[in-house]
Amino acid sequence: MTAPRFRDAGLPVDERVEDLLARMTLDEKLAQLGCVWISSLVDHDGFSEVRAREVAPHGIGEMTRLSGATGLLPADTAQLMNSVQRYMVEQTRLGIPVLVHEEGTGGFLARGATVFPQALGLAASFDPELVEDVATVIREQMRAVGARHCLAPVLDVARDPRWGRVEETFGEEPFLVGTLGVAYVRGLQSTDVAGGVLATGKHFLGHASPEGGRNHGPMVVGERDLRDFYGEPFAVAIAQAGLATVMNSYSSVDGLAPAGSRRILTDLLRGELGFGGMVVADYFAVSLLMTHQHVAGDKRGAAVQALEAGLDMELPATDCFGAPLRDAIADGEVGLPVVDTAVRRVLRAKFALGLFESPYVDPDRAAAAFETPSQRALARRAAQEAVVLLTNDGVLPLAPGTRSIAVVGPGADDVRLLQGDYHYPSHHRSADGPVELESEGGAALLLLPTASGGEWQPGAYYTDHVTPLAGLRAALGPDVDVAWAPGCAVTGGDRSGIAPAAELVGAAEVGIVVVSGRSGLGRSSTVGEARDATDLGVTGLQSELVRACAATGTPLVVVVMSGRVHSLVDVEPHAAALLYCAPLGEEAGTALADVLLGAVSPSGRLPVTLPRSVGQVPLHVGHRSGGSTAMFYGEYSDSPTSPQFAFGHGLSYTSVDYRDLRIVAGDTRDEIEVRFVLENVGGRAAAEVAQLYVRDLVASVARPELQLVGFARIDLEPGASSPVTFRVHPSRLAFTDADLRRVIEPGDFAFSVGASSVDLRLSDVVAIPGERVEFPLCDLRPTTVVLGEPLLPPAAVALD
């Protein structure tokens, strides 16, 4: 008997898809648009074929979080994956393999997986190579257990620090978010997706700027901001990295609920941005069209809206896309061609991944992909680069002759506080037990399901984590007295530990206070998904602890390690040195010791603005012209309009000189070259993050006062210098005009390079003549960086 054509790996993917689609019944098609929790397929003894036949008789499109929703170790996870896959491939009529999705913002959310800094910490590195390396590890670990779809990266442009999920993003600036997003997608998907894991850009669109900072809240935004700011990271991830999947946003955009909006998911995403892959629903987003946005009257209406909008798969479990959608099809409310279009996208992804040829994994080799020495070394490097030194009066690096140090604060010796909200196990467990989200009326909205056997339950399982206290003690050795006390908790009003902690600091040569947040989803968490806040100060009595320790007169180093974008006005005056970082993961203590003791120079830069007060929100780099000051005095009646710490800010242990700026520009079709020299004029090696900004001086619409269009990390030994060249494609100067066309206009442009958005060392204005040229959003090109190239005489740089 001749094998069906869809089984022929030598045929083009589209031919295989069409052959398989033609063989499918309606039930088999709908099954591919749905999803099932792993817990629905197992019993006390493991995988259950009986349960599988009940919930997935025709197969299933995806399976939800085999690793992330259980407590299984890699080998057992891989074995379970094979059992599920064997049923799908060998026991269903057409043998379509299942696709498993997992989470991975700061590492694979799985027991035993390497815990890297949370995404905001990775963003502070301004290091695309690092981000790609981290995503490569996530890919290797996911593939080892059979997961081929990752619900990351988060490409939201985060411009409201009250929103609890800012820590999952790459920050507030579209160019930075897009550049790091491209690096992440490349690391995850690899050069050939058959050897990779599907990346998911989320959340489309505008999810990170909801009204009041409230999770799922509506977003009010104009058509230009929607494209020029919030759409840019998705556009570049699609164009430059071939982003495979996209997830919708919960937040309505000017009244349109993305999960059910053809205007957003088809006209904008597929039309203007050129996306051709699969769109998956954020968890429960289809039913939320009925219960949250109230744009559908029932599940049937929600299913029809979502499918016709361009949403291809319902997550985390089939609901509206099950019987309600089938009834709508039977009644002619939605046509089969719409169903077929969605199924094609799902099948195309599975064929591209090679799942039909290689559906199984090797359990005996799974554990070897987890927590290798090179992965831990990368986690340490990532944590080092995530640390931002905000202020320093000279106390850092700590003097080699120091013999007594007091380490205090709730974050000093608690592995739980090193976790972001999408790290395992903080994602599942709060201080009070398993995470269970509730509505205002008390009804359970989400309890991540697991099998009832104890070995299946997710729990407080950690890899080998190094706390700040442990890292310092290991680095300093037995000859240095390192005293410790928590002082206070992250939250609450118990002051009893503050005086004893301050006493330890007063008796030491240096005090180190580790201020922390608690990332997660539970009510005891201070930051994370659904943990939004109105107060941006550090929580609990931690500011009081800092003041008490500073009052002893001992030089005080304050490390704020939190996923929250804080105002630090209550902390900064009391610190001889102030550092800020997102949750740093398993190598937090080692990396912090490296920075504090001077083994490495701090090189992190703020990917977000730290405001003085929540009353300044929104406050970020790139306000449209006139948006960063208050008319007509230029400030508030009770505060400056400037931030406490600006985007891009970060100090090191050396001084770097910027000199010899040259700008080479042609017309509106030509690349612009910005050239300058960096020189380390200090006494220590360091990595400098040079940042390139542009301002369009006169335009037909109000343009950003400052727009990041390039950055580069450059390692410099003492006394060393390096020529740097940024090559800026003219599409980077384009914007959405009054007619919603994306154009570059001729005119004068101010280019500035410097160490932050407010520390601009070199600037010049160049005239760019020519015609108005249209550059669609799907044609945004990267800025390239060349190091060490000699500075040449000015000449126009023509594009191909």
Side-chain angles (χ1 to χ4, degrees):
M1 182 177 179
T2 304
R5 289 174 59 80
F6 75 84
R7 294 288 179 190
D8 186 348
L11 291 177
V13 166
D14 285 346
E15 287 189 27
R16 300 177 73 186
V17 168
E18 292 305 318
D19 181 74
L20 178 53
L21 187 66
R23 300 171 187 270
M24 297 173 73
T25 66
L26 177 59
D27 286 332
E28 289 167 335
K29 290 177 180 179
L30 293 182
Q32 290 303 305
L33 305 185
C35 191
V36 61
W37 281 99
I38 177 58
S39 58
S40 299
L41 303 176
V42 297
D43 57 23
H44 289 282
D45 298 319
F47 173 75
S48 168
E49 189 172 312
V50 172
R51 297 196 69 180
R53 290 188 183 281
E54 292 174 355
V55 300
H58 308 289
I60 198 71
E62 292 215 4
M63 184 165 61
T64 293
R65 295 167 66 171
L66 191 155
S67 295
T70 73
L72 298 178
L73 288 166
D76 293 328
T77 303
Q79 187 64 56
L80 178 59
M81 177 69 238
N82 284 346
S83 297
V84 174
Q85 198 69 283
R86 191 167 288 109
Y87 165 79
M88 299 297 173
V89 171
E90 300 177 11
Q91 299 299 318
T92 63
R93 187 178 75 91
L94 293 173
I96 302 173
V98 67
L99 186 60
V100 177
H101 71 256
E102 301 282 0
E103 300 282 359
T105 60
F108 180 15
L109 197 162
R111 184 179 179 184
T114 306
V115 182
F116 296 100
Q118 179 63 302
L120 194 65
L122 297 176
S125 72
F126 278 65
D127 189 345
E129 179 184 337
L130 170 71
V131 172
E132 185 169 347
D133 288 346
V134 168
T136 298
V137 171
I138 296 171
R139 164 168 54 91
E140 292 168 349
Q141 294 181 344
M142 284 192 175
R143 279 183 55 88
V145 297
R148 303 298 299 277
H149 185 191
C150 180
L151 303 187
V154 176
L155 299 178
D156 295 320
V157 176
R159 292 191 163 178
D160 195 323
R162 296 171 295 182
W163 187 57
R165 301 186 72 177
V166 171
E167 66 172 65
E168 300 173 37
T169 77
F170 291 135
E172 70 182 31
E173 206 293 321
F175 181 87
L176 177 65
V177 176
T179 301
L180 299 183
V182 165
Y184 185 101
V185 173
R186 286 175 173 164
L188 197 64
Q189 295 186 172
S190 76
T191 54
D192 180 1
V193 76
V197 169
L198 302 179
T200 305
K202 63 185 191 184
H203 308 81
F204 198 81
L205 190 61
H207 190 49
S209 296
E211 284 186 352
R214 296 183 293 273
N215 198 41
H216 292 202
M219 181 190 186
V220 179
V221 63
E223 295 282 359
R224 269 158 287 283
D225 284 8
L226 195 66
R227 291 165 173 79
D228 293 348
F229 300 150
Y230 301 103
E232 177 179 316
F234 292 89
V236 297
I238 293 164
Q240 298 172 26
L243 178 66
T245 71
V246 165
M247 175 180 280
N248 71 277
S249 166
Y250 290 122
S251 299
S252 63
V253 179
D254 192 26
L256 300 178
S261 172
R262 184 173 181 82
R263 178 75 187 89
I264 292 174
L265 295 185
T266 296
D267 298 346
L268 181 58
L269 176 61
R270 300 191 185 278
E272 294 185 43
L273 272 62
F275 180 67
M278 180 172 62
V279 175
V280 299
D282 205 343
Y283 284 14
F284 313 109
V286 180
S287 61
L288 286 174
L289 294 174
M290 174 185 66
T291 62
H292 185 61
Q293 283 102 2
H294 298 285
V295 295
D298 53 26
K299 291 183 178 183
R300 172 171 165 164
V304 172
Q305 275 192 38
L307 193 68
E308 291 186 336
L311 193 147
D312 303 312
M313 183 177 288
E314 183 178 21
L315 306 183
T318 304
D319 182 16
C320 302
F321 274 19
L325 179 57
R326 202 185 198 293
D327 290 345
I329 294 168
D331 292 343
E333 191 173 349
V334 62
L336 281 176
V338 180
V339 176
D340 287 350
T341 296
V343 175
R344 282 188 182 94
R345 294 175 185 138
V346 175
L347 296 178
R348 190 177 294 121
K350 293 185 177 185
F351 279 118
L353 286 168
L355 282 176
F356 283 81
E357 290 68 52
S358 301
Y360 306 118
V361 293
D362 186 349
D364 293 334
R365 300 177 61 184
F370 287 75
E371 281 290 83
T372 66
S374 64
Q375 290 169 352
R376 288 202 68 99
L378 181 61
R380 181 174 181 172
R381 174 187 154 209
Q384 290 169 346
E385 294 188 17
V387 177
V388 183
L389 179 60
L390 299 176
T391 65
N392 183 19
D393 71 357
V395 68
L396 293 181
L398 297 178
T402 303
R403 287 292 173 262
S404 64
I405 294 175
V407 181
V408 303
D413 198 36
D414 186 341
V415 296
R416 170 64 181 83
L417 302 184
L418 306 181
Q419 312 279 311
D421 70 334
Y422 269 74
H423 283 140
Y424 187 106
S426 61
H427 191 67
H428 290 291
R429 302 192 69 83
S430 69
D432 307 315
V435 170
E436 182 170 3
L437 308 186
E438 296 180 353
S439 67
E440 291 183 0
L445 294 176
L446 170 61
L447 176 60
L448 299 181
T450 61
S452 56
E455 71 275 15
W456 299 91
Q457 297 289 354
Y461 304 120
Y462 294 90
T463 57
D464 183 14
H465 278 53
V466 184
T467 66
L469 177 65
L472 283 165
R473 281 180 168 165
L476 290 167
D479 294 334
V480 179
D481 179 23
V482 181
W484 173 75
C488 66
V490 172
T491 56
D494 184 359
R495 291 181 167 82
S496 62
I498 292 179
E503 185 176 350
L504 289 182
V505 171
E509 296 174 58
V510 178
I512 298 173
V513 184
V514 185
V515 172
S516 184
R518 183 187 294 108
S519 296
L521 280 69
R523 288 189 179 275
S524 65
S525 296
T526 63
V527 60
E529 185 168 6
R531 304 311 296 143
D532 315 314
T534 62
D535 186 344
L536 300 183
V538 297
T539 56
L541 300 176
Q542 294 183 94
S543 293
E544 185 175 327
L545 173 64
V546 170
R547 289 194 299 271
C549 292
T552 66
T554 298
L556 202 62
V557 176
V558 180
V559 179
V560 179
M561 184 167 55
S562 172
R564 175 73 61 200
V565 179
H566 285 292
S567 168
L568 301 176
V569 293
D570 292 334
V571 174
E572 181 189 359
H574 309 289
L578 178 61
L579 303 96
Y580 170 82
C581 54
L584 293 178
E586 64 185 31
E587 286 286 342
T590 311
L592 279 172
D594 291 337
V595 171
L596 298 178
L597 300 179
V600 298
S601 180
S603 60
R605 302 295 185 264
L606 286 176
V608 288
T609 298
L610 302 189
R612 301 175 189 275
S613 165
V614 70
Q616 293 178 290
V617 173
L619 184 66
H620 51 79
V621 69
H623 285 282
R624 291 193 182 272
S625 294
S628 65
T629 60
M631 295 298 286
F632 46 86
Y633 293 113
E635 58 187 23
Y636 293 102
S637 62
D638 59 351
S639 169
T641 54
S642 61
Q644 185 180 11
F645 296 104
F647 173 87
H649 172 68
L651 305 177
S652 72
Y653 293 153
T654 193
S655 298
V656 175
D657 184 37
Y658 289 66
R659 57 179 170 82
D660 299 338
L661 177 67
R662 296 184 189 177
I663 302 176
V664 182
D667 64 21
T668 51
R669 296 182 184 275
D670 294 328
E671 210 171 52
I672 303 99
E673 286 198 352
V674 180
R675 307 171 177 180
F676 57 98
V677 174
L678 290 178
E679 182 177 3
N680 185 345
V681 296
R684 288 179 174 268
E688 178 73 358
V689 178
Q691 301 161 44
L692 173 64
Y693 296 88
V694 68
R695 182 178 182 184
D696 189 347
L697 298 187
V698 178
S700 58
V701 303
R703 301 281 288 117
E705 295 175 335
L706 209 59
Q707 181 181 353
L708 184 71
V709 291
F711 61 86
R713 282 179 61 96
I714 301 101
D715 292 316
L716 293 170
E717 293 296 321
S721 63
S722 175
V724 181
T725 300
F726 287 112
R727 292 177 177 160
V728 183
H729 191 273
S731 63
R732 284 289 165 195
L733 307 182
F735 61 94
T736 304
D737 70 6
D739 298 319
L740 298 185
R741 295 176 302 172
R742 191 169 174 84
V743 301
I744 176 177
E745 296 175 339
D748 292 336
F749 294 82
F751 288 88
S752 303
V753 293
S756 81
S757 60
V758 295
D759 185 10
L760 302 174
R761 310 289 182 85
L762 304 169
S763 298
D764 200 4
V765 175
V766 296
I768 299 181
E771 303 175 339
R772 284 169 58 97
V773 179
E774 191 164 350
F775 286 104
L777 197 57
C778 62
D779 197 28
L780 264 174
R781 308 288 182 87
T783 295
T784 56
V785 182
V786 180
L787 303 180
E789 184 178 82
L791 300 183
L792 301 175
V797 182
L799 297 172
D800 293 336

